[in-house]
Amino acid sequence: MECMAQELVLFEDILCQIIDMICPENENYITLRDLKGCKLSGSVFNILFNLNKFSNGL
């Protein structure tokens, strides 16, 4: 993100957002069942793997 002149986002903040989006049964870990039951799982994968879509959403 720094190379793209984007504001840096702390991993802890991203993790908190992901947990809020998924609402896992146990906040200590996320299971496949949690992801399959979440309508926002596509957005979670964009946050983790697609920097362009993530930075455009900020």
Side-chain angles (χ1 to χ4, degrees), residues 36-58:
K36 285 183 174 182
C38 175
K39 293 181 181 180
L40 296 173
S41 58
S43 297
V44 171
F45 285 103
N46 279 336
I47 289 171
L48 294 174
F49 301 114
N50 194 332
L51 183 59
N52 290 329
K53 284 189 178 181
F54 175 65
S55 60
N56 288 335
L58 291 177

Side-chain angles (χ1 to χ4, degrees), residues 3-57:
C3 294
M4 297 174 61
Q6 298 287 331
E7 183 179 347
L8 294 178
V9 180
L10 297 175
F11 176 75
E12 291 82 7
D13 294 337
I14 294 171
L15 181 61
C16 185
Q17 287 181 0
I18 289 172
I19 290 172
D20 288 344
M21 290 170 70
I22 295 176
C23 299
E25 290 180 23
N26 185 331
E27 289 194 8
N28 293 323
Y29 54 87
I30 297 170
T31 64
L32 181 58
R33 175 187 238 167
D34 295 326
L35 288 172
K36 285 183 174 182
C38 175
K39 293 181 181 180
L40 296 173
S41 58
S43 297
V44 171
F45 285 103
N46 279 336
I47 289 171
L48 294 174
F49 301 114
N50 194 332
L51 183 59
N52 290 329
K53 284 189 178 181
F54 175 65
S55 60
N56 288 335

